[in-house]
Every structure is written in structure tokens, then in C-alpha cells.
Amino acid sequence: MRLPAWQLPSRAINWLKTTPPAVRNGLFRGICLVTPVMLFLAFFNPFVLDPTRIGWLMIADWGQHVLGWNAFRHTPWSSLNHESLLYAPTGLSVIYTDSNPLFAFIFKPFRNILPQNFQYIGPWFFFCVCMHFVFAWKLVRPHAPNRWAALGGAVALSALPCLYYRMRHDTLMAQWLILWALHLVVNVQAGAPTLIAEGTPRLKIALTKIADFFDAKTRGWIALLGLTGMIHPYILFMVVVIWGGDMLRYFWPAARALDRKTLAVVTSRAIITFSVPLLTMGLAGAYAAGQSPGAGGWSYYSAGLDSFFNPVVQDFSNFLKAWPQSPGQAFEGYQYLGFGLLVLIVAAVILYIVTPEAKDSRPFLKSLKPLIIPFVILAAFALTNRVQFFGQTILFFDLPPATKNVLAILRASGRFLWPIGYCMVFAALVVLYKSRARTVAVLLPTVLVLQAVDLNGFAVTMRDATSLAAKPQTYYLTPSPLWNKLVAESNGVDFYPVNVHFNDKLFYELTWRATSLAKPVNTMYPARENLIQIAHMQADQDAFKRGQVRNDRLFVFLKQCDAPPELQSRLRMLDGVWIIPPDGAKDLPLQKPVWSPLSSEVRFGWLDQGTCLLDENWSQPEYDGTWTDGPKAEVQIPIKHVQFEYANPRAIDLHLKAKSFRPVLVKVMVNGRKVSELSLTRKTSEHIVQLPNSALRNENLNIRFVVERPDGEPVEIAHADTAQSGVTGRGAIQARPAADMKAEARELAIKLMDLRLVDRDRQPKPKTVAISG
């Protein structure tokens, strides 16, 4: 006889109750072992566990991390935490390529026996999922009515989308460190002093006092903070703030009572504990010379008040409507809990209000008081000075520039809501655990099912992100075997422009080859810029524009960029990539370069091709344009390769968008001839310049800008004192004036946004035209 479906669970429970304890224990342990594996497979392609598969990592932040490891692996141990192959000649500490210093130090001793291609990012993902489940279990088990309820709670705490959404930044998947911190606050109590009998030997007394001083809680915090210092600074900040709240619970009563002995013990413990992560961060290379601690983006990478219940992307929830957020907030501030866990939190609140059993959780809720101040601090950092709700700013207050510079050290502050989200779910679980057994048996499985259904689309998207790991291929943009010969015959690889983001996949593939052969590379995508290296890179770019490159190095163009006449004959092309081969590889069968059609609109933002058409008299580009930085400030456009909207134009006009720091008069010179004068102000303006017919007959169109003082005298154009915008991304380089530059010269700089070459005969007649020369 077939039982109704609703009776099947109770029959299964009765069957479990009647089985021998050994069978039940084995079944439970087996489920505990399988659960993190199933969680991993729900969000990752299993082929990421193959450490020899590299191709799937050659994108976005993964490329930065795996290249940092490969360079560190092939750098001698004499440098300890520093590699000299990337960002040469300055190099980078392993922490500034976000290459997981903990695993880097673990695997480097075996570098000579590891496979030629080796990565630990995929195994790290699995490690983090397993550790997350373990610490979720440790957190909830003391409060659960039975081990099955604890298992369900551990699964719930391991099912927050923010954990798996951070796979793009693999070290940030170490959110099990946050659960460890909550475990130390809630479940681990400070040890009481051991009573020492009279006549006890002095050595035993000393050892006993040391053991009392380093009790279980202190040892736990030392281990946690020290380990976190070797993994990621952002998680370290969260954990340190939580630790500070835990320390305050002991320090404040002692301070109020003027208990000097207790104050001395608490303070000593705090100093020793806090010094450990400072040491481990130093071991990871955090204090390298010239390293900038901050970057732009404060308040851009914030979290919104709707973060916990806004899926942001509609495919990320099958129940709730997604509301768009700004790109920075949608990524760094992503904290959607999932519909199942939101139901859990709402149900816990209702149970606490209406049922007497749930009120038994009051002692537990009181034990969370040390987290109030830490969570207020973390929330303030996460929301920043621009508080938003569903994409709308509801509160904004400006901050002094000095304050913004300090806060820029933790610019991606939207992440700081993670501990609050985990604690909300944890507290809701404990309230549920204190409720009736039948309520727990019904509600907890329902929550997990709702969470799984809600996040189905999210899980598919996350698995797709690692789907390339199923292919063993490593090189997609550079498949030719000639690349290996070019790199092997060179003494290093120089990229131009030095901004990796022009073509990061091309950069990653060639740099993997270079670092595997211990060949230095002149640029990199660092977590924080090194001011010393920026000067080196700028000097190298200027030298190229003057026709000077090193003959023993492979020179690779990340974008098609016109080369100075001195280098034209040496240009070659391989797999569609423009290069200048080293002298040792001149005889390789390489094609002459072929221009792909250029757009008639040329932009000058930090990721635009126009920036490599500028001479050395320009500053580093910003997200929307470039400021002048020299006496000539020229743009060289290969006019023969421009693809116009209409073929074979007879005459063209130059449309340009620009601004200045203060009102200035700018002469526009084309191929050495003055063609216009422009009046620029702080407000961005558009201008139209009629170009002579001869502009189309030359190989290149040379445009030069000359700024005049109000008295009509020309001035050497100086670069702008501009701060890096948060929208530019962390790869952009900050442009700053020389210390001895006069303020007047600095203020006479102009900023060029874009140029458009337009067929004069096929455009609407302009109402106003800039003054023609």
C-alpha cells in the first residue's frame, strides 16, 4: 500500500529511530562529509580542482592572482615575500597581487616538483567551502537542540549568496574567518585563573600563569588574527573590529572599577594579540617601500540599505524583484541573503514575539551585545557618506579631502556588511532552535528548500563563471608556438600602453609565459599602485614615443598604436597582435603589421585607444579624458586608416570636447599650421574646427594644442592636480603635479575628452564654428 506523500517524512524519521546507533552515526557523518562537496558542486565547475588547468583563470582578477603566484614561485627565496618579475624593476609583494600569501608560502617550497602549470585557486575554493561549513557547524552546534538541527543551521549559514558571489576575488571567499570570529565572541568564554596550592614548584606556577594568560579565547584570537593577516586585509579589518568589541566587554568593567590587575591583563592580551596580524601582514609584504595604501572609489563601492533583500540581478532570485544599483555598489555591496533566509529571519521575529518558547533565546541575544559597537562601525563604513536605498541617495554629506584619503585605504567598504548578515542568520537560527521541536522540524527544511529554489539561477550563473575550466586549453588569444620562442629569446617583455586593462587577457597569456621562464615584465595590475614603479612606467612610455626601446626585450602592443618613425621598420604582427621582436628573434617568420580600421571618434579615457595616440606631453588618463602635461601636447592620428561613416570624404571637420581649469585661449595646430583658436573654461564644451583639405592627403594627422596666458604669451602646458576617480577602477594611475610646479602653470592645463572626424559635406550645418585661422 502506497503511503500519502505527507506521511513519508515521518516514516523516514521513525526508520532512523529504529536503526542501530552505529548506523545512524555513520549516516550522519557521511551526510556531513558530503554536504560541503554538494555545496561546492552547486556553485563551481568541478574541473577547477585540477591544479594544472590555467586557461580559465586568464580573466579579470583571477589573472592578477594566478600571475602573482607564478611570479612569486619563480622568484628566488632571497626576496622572501617579494617577486621581481611583475611590475619590473620595482616588483610587488605577494599580498599586492592578491595571490593568497598563505597558500603561496605553503606551495612555494615545492616549486621544483610542482607541475609546470600549477594553480591553487580552484582547490582554495573547495577549501573555503569546507572550512565555512566546519565553522558554521561550530557556531550553531552549542545552541541547536540536536545534531540534525545543527546540520541544517550549518547549511543555512553556508548558503549566503555573498559567499559564492566573491569567487571572482578568491581570497574573499575566506568568510569562514568571520564565522570563526563570531564563534569566539559567543561560544568561547574567557578562562578563570587556576588556583595554585601552596608549595607548588616555581616552574609549575610560571607555566600555570602563562596558560591562564593565554586562555582558549586569547589563543583563538591570536590564531584567527594571525592567519587572517596572511589572507586578506579587508577580512582582517572586519575580524579586528569584532575582536575589539569582544575586548571591550572585559576592558570597560575593569576600567569603571579601576581594577588595575584586570586592566593590565586585558591590555597585555590585546597588545600581544594585535601585534600578531601586524607581523603576519609584514611577512606577506604589506609594508613595501613606495606602495600606496589607498585607491579611489570611496562611497562608489558602498552598500545600500536594501542590500539584504535586493537580488540586484533578476536571474539571482526566483521570488523577489531585483532593483538596479550602481555598478560599484552592485558588486562590492552585494549582500542579498536569499529568500529562504529572509523567511527564516522574519519567522524568527514572529516566533520571538508570539511564542514563550522562543523567548528562551534572551540569554543568547544578550550575549551578542559586544557586537553592537563593531556592527555600528562596520555598517557606517559599508554605507559611507552616501547612503542609498534602491539606487536613490537618501543622505549625503561631504567629507574633508584628508579624510577621504584615509578612508580610501578601505575603498571597497560595501563588503563590511558581511558579518552583520551572518549574525542575523545565526541569531534567527538560535531563536528557531529555542522554539518547539515540531516548529524546527517543519520550518528549517522549508527554509533550506526555499533558499535552494530561490538561488537556482544564481547558482547557474556562478557555475558558468568557471565553466571554462572544463577545457584544458591555456592560450586563446595567443595560440601560436612562436610566442614561446619570442619570450625565450628575450630578456623580458615590455607592454605598451602600460595599462593592463586595455587587453587584460592578452597580457595575462603572455605574462604567464614570461613568468614561467623567469622573464621580467614592465607592468602589472596591482591591488595598490607603487609610486616608484609608476615613475618607471611613465619614463618607459615616453621613451617609446621618442623611438627608444630595448633591443633585447619583446615589445607588445596591447592596442594598435602608431609607432614613431624610428621603429616603423621593426614592427611585426603575430596572432593579430602588434609587436617589436627582440634582436634574438629577428629571423622568425612574422607578418608585417596591418591596421584594423580606426573609428572616426577617438576618446581619451583610461581605457580608450586614443590614449596611445598621444605624445609624452600628457598626464596619465582619467576615466573620461586626459590632461596636458608638457609644452607641446600633440595627438597623432593615422588618418589613412580611419573608417569614416561615409567613404572617401573630400573635406573633414574636427569636433572636439575639452575643458580647462580656468578660462584660457588655446591655439590648435594641424600638421604644423594654425587652424583655430578655442576658448576653454572649467565647463566642458564642444567645438568644431574646419581642417584644411590637405589633412586627408597625409599619412598622419598631427594635432597640437598651445595654451596662452591672458596677456597673450604662450605657456608651457602643465599637468593637472587631479585625483583618481573611483569609477576608473584600481588599475588607473593617479596624475599629480611636481612639487616645484607653479600654481599658474598647473592651472593652465586643458583636458581633452574626445575627438571626432566628420565628413563636412554630409553633416548638418553648425550654428557656431570655432574661430578659424
Side-chain angles (χ1 to χ4, degrees):
M1 177 178 177
R2 183 175 179 83
L3 290 170
W6 59 271
Q7 291 186 12
L8 293 177
S10 61
R11 286 295 299 268
I13 293 173
N14 290 333
W15 176 82
L16 283 175
K17 290 180 178 179
T18 58
T19 56
V23 175
R24 292 200 303 270
N25 291 337
L27 178 62
F28 180 79
R29 290 168 183 166
I31 293 175
C32 287
L33 290 174
V34 170
T35 298
V37 176
M38 299 304 294
L39 286 168
F40 175 80
L41 293 177
F43 296 97
F44 295 92
N45 187 294
F47 284 99
V48 302
L49 294 175
D50 184 347
T52 64
R53 298 202 174 194
I54 304 296
W56 66 278
L57 291 169
M58 299 295 180
I59 56 174
D61 285 353
W62 287 338
Q64 177 201 46
H65 307 163
V66 76
L67 285 175
W69 148 248
N70 203 44
F72 183 64
R73 171 187 177 179
H74 290 92
T75 299
W77 268 115
S78 58
S79 62
L80 185 59
N81 53 32
H82 202 78
E83 58 78 24
S84 55
L85 299 178
L86 303 172
Y87 226 41
T90 306
L92 285 164
S93 300
V94 66
I95 195 173
Y96 287 115
T97 54
D98 281 338
S99 299
N100 194 343
L102 176 65
F103 268 36
F105 278 105
I106 289 174
F107 284 104
K108 184 166 181 175
F110 309 101
R111 58 180 183 158
N112 293 329
I113 61 176
L114 293 174
Q116 181 179 2
N117 285 347
F118 178 83
Q119 57 85 15
Y120 48 67
I121 292 177
W124 166 259
F125 287 146
F126 183 65
F127 174 79
C128 284
V129 173
C130 292
M131 293 297 290
H132 198 95
F133 179 77
V134 168
F135 277 98
W137 168 269
K138 288 176 69 68
L139 184 61
V140 302
R141 183 63 186 99
H143 311 277
N146 55 66
R147 60 184 180 178
W148 291 100
L151 175 61
V155 173
L157 280 168
S158 301
L160 271 71
C162 67
L163 171 63
Y164 305 97
Y165 194 62
R166 297 312 309 190
M167 67 168 64
R168 283 292 186 191
H169 202 145
D170 43 278
T171 44
L172 287 176
M173 277 201 65
Q175 294 172 33
W176 49 273
L177 298 166
I178 298 172
L179 300 184
W180 188 355
L182 296 177
H183 166 68
L184 290 173
V185 172
V186 178
N187 296 336
V188 181
Q189 303 301 319
T194 303
L195 296 177
I196 302 175
E198 293 184 9
T200 303
R202 291 183 179 180
L203 178 59
K204 188 173 182 179
I205 293 174
L207 293 175
T208 301
K209 289 184 176 180
I210 292 174
D212 286 346
F213 182 86
F214 292 101
D215 60 0
K217 182 182 279 281
T218 303
R219 294 196 305 272
W221 282 119
I222 289 175
L224 172 58
L225 295 178
L227 194 64
T228 309
M230 290 286 289
I231 295 176
H232 202 282
Y234 275 86
I235 299 182
L236 177 62
F237 179 79
M238 301 179 213
V239 172
V240 164
V241 171
I242 294 172
W243 165 76
D246 195 35
M247 288 296 98
L248 194 60
R249 75 197 293 185
Y250 303 107
F251 180 86
W252 182 245
R256 293 184 63 183
L258 292 178
D259 185 345
R260 292 183 176 86
K261 184 178 179 180
T262 302
L263 280 175
V265 171
V266 173
T267 303
S268 300
R269 284 174 174 169
I271 292 173
I272 293 173
T273 303
F274 188 65
S275 66
V276 173
L278 296 179
L279 291 173
T280 55
M281 285 185 67
L283 182 61
Y287 314 128
Q291 206 72 47
S292 174
W298 171 257
S299 81
Y300 178 74
Y301 297 108
S302 64
L305 290 173
D306 56 311
S307 297
F308 292 118
F309 46 86
N310 184 357
V312 181
V313 179
Q314 193 55 61
D315 290 344
F316 287 3
S317 175
N318 286 325
F319 294 110
L320 298 181
K321 178 179 175 56
W323 292 86
Q325 295 177 329
S326 65
Q329 191 173 87
F331 182 56
E332 298 294 2
Y334 181 80
Q335 180 63 71
Y336 178 56
L337 294 177
F339 185 74
L341 297 185
L342 289 173
V343 169
L344 171 65
I345 293 171
V346 173
V349 172
I350 295 173
L351 287 170
Y352 186 81
I353 294 173
V354 303
T355 65
E357 293 86 358
K359 289 184 171 61
D360 290 341
S361 61
R362 284 177 179 171
F364 163 77
L365 296 176
K366 289 182 179 179
S367 71
L368 298 179
K369 282 186 177 180
L371 295 172
I372 294 176
I373 294 177
F375 283 179
V376 169
I377 294 172
L378 291 174
F381 270 89
L383 299 176
T384 73
N385 58 312
R386 188 184 300 274
V387 181
Q388 294 183 305
F389 186 66
F390 286 111
Q392 302 298 314
T393 300
I394 61 173
L395 175 66
F396 172 77
F397 53 94
D398 203 5
L399 295 172
T403 304
K404 290 181 181 178
N405 292 336
V406 174
L407 293 174
I409 298 174
L410 298 169
R411 64 171 192 151
S413 60
R415 304 165 179 173
F416 297 147
L417 283 187
W418 297 346
I420 301 174
Y422 281 115
C423 192
M424 288 168 59
V425 175
F426 174 41
L429 284 169
V430 176
V431 172
L432 176 61
Y433 289 156
K434 299 299 181 181
S435 303
R436 295 176 182 177
R438 182 168 294 183
T439 303
V440 177
V442 172
L443 186 56
L444 188 54
T446 302
V447 163
L448 297 179
V449 170
L450 289 174
Q451 188 78 350
V453 173
D454 185 45
L455 299 183
N456 179 63
F458 173 82
V460 171
T461 303
M462 295 301 101
R463 286 198 303 272
D464 287 346
T466 55
S467 60
L468 199 61
K471 299 180 180 180
Q473 185 177 349
T474 300
Y475 305 114
Y476 290 85
L477 295 184
T478 59
S480 174
L482 292 179
W483 287 110
N484 294 331
K485 296 181 180 180
L486 283 167
V487 174
E489 292 295 331
S490 71
N491 287 331
V493 182
D494 289 340
F495 289 91
Y496 179 84
V498 292
N499 186 349
V500 171
H501 301 287
F502 272 114
N503 193 337
D504 54 2
K505 190 166 182 60
L506 171 63
F507 172 81
Y508 293 152
E509 290 188 7
L510 293 180
T511 302
W512 182 264
R513 286 182 169 97
T515 52
S516 296
L517 295 174
K519 306 285 186 176
V521 175
N522 70 325
T523 186
M524 182 48 186
Y525 168 29
R528 293 291 186 269
E529 300 288 357
N530 186 291
L531 304 180
I532 299 172
Q533 180 63 19
I534 289 175
H536 284 295
M537 294 190 300
Q538 186 63 53
D540 288 345
Q541 286 201 139
D542 292 345
F544 163 75
K545 292 170 182 178
R546 296 191 298 268
Q548 303 168 2
V549 296
R550 289 182 56 176
N551 296 334
D552 62 337
R553 296 173 74 96
L554 171 63
F555 196 91
V556 179
F557 293 80
L558 292 174
K559 287 276 189 181
Q560 288 185 132
C561 295
D562 200 18
E566 299 88 341
L567 301 175
Q568 292 283 345
S569 62
R570 297 174 55 188
L571 290 177
R572 294 293 184 271
M573 187 170 68
L574 180 60
D575 288 334
V577 179
W578 286 25
I579 63 172
I580 299 177
D583 285 348
K586 283 182 177 180
D587 298 332
L588 293 179
L590 302 170
Q591 294 177 284
K592 291 281 189 178
V594 177
W595 277 96
S596 298
L598 295 174
S599 172
S600 58
E601 182 174 6
V602 183
R603 299 180 182 273
F604 299 94
W606 77 292
L607 279 181
D608 295 321
Q609 187 171 6
T611 58
C612 68
L613 303 177
L614 305 172
D615 71 356
E616 67 268 29
N617 298 299
W618 299 82
S619 67
Q620 291 291 343
E622 299 176 0
Y623 76 98
D624 62 344
T626 307
W627 291 90
T628 52
D629 182 18
K632 298 180 181 178
E634 296 181 356
V635 182
Q636 186 102 339
I637 301 176
I639 192 69
K640 293 295 184 182
H641 305 286
V642 172
Q643 188 175 40
F644 291 93
E645 184 177 356
Y646 300 98
N648 302 317
R650 291 177 298 176
I652 57 175
D653 288 342
L654 175 66
H655 295 222
L656 64 87
K657 185 187 296 183
K659 69 176 182 179
S660 59
F661 267 111
R662 69 181 191 183
V664 294
L665 190 64
V666 182
K667 292 181 181 179
V668 180
M669 314 288 290
V670 173
N671 295 336
R673 173 186 170 189
K674 176 186 172 185
V675 297
S676 180
E677 288 184 351
L678 311 176
S679 295
L680 298 183
T681 65
R682 294 179 64 91
K683 185 178 180 180
T684 301
S685 57
E686 296 189 26
H687 303 265
I688 301 176
V689 178
Q690 292 184 353
L691 300 183
N693 294 339
S694 61
L696 288 169
R697 295 194 292 268
N698 296 322
E699 188 72 24
N700 293 301
L701 178 65
N702 181 280
I703 306 170
R704 177 180 173 185
F705 300 94
V706 179
V707 177
E708 290 188 350
R709 291 190 178 95
D711 58 9
E713 290 294 322
V715 63
E716 179 175 327
I717 298 175
H719 69 62
D721 183 12
T722 57
Q724 180 186 9
S725 169
V727 187
T728 64
R730 67 184 184 189
I733 299 173
Q734 199 168 12
R736 294 193 180 278
D740 58 349
M741 189 174 293
K742 294 182 179 179
E744 182 190 24
R746 185 167 63 247
E747 292 178 358
L748 288 172
I750 65 170
K751 185 176 188 178
L752 183 63
M753 280 83 162
D754 65 58
L755 301 175
R756 284 180 292 134
L757 299 172
V758 180
D759 190 332
R760 185 181 305 157
D761 298 330
R762 294 185 175 92
Q763 65 170 316
K765 296 297 182 182
K767 295 181 180 179
T768 58
V769 178
I771 304 171
S772 299

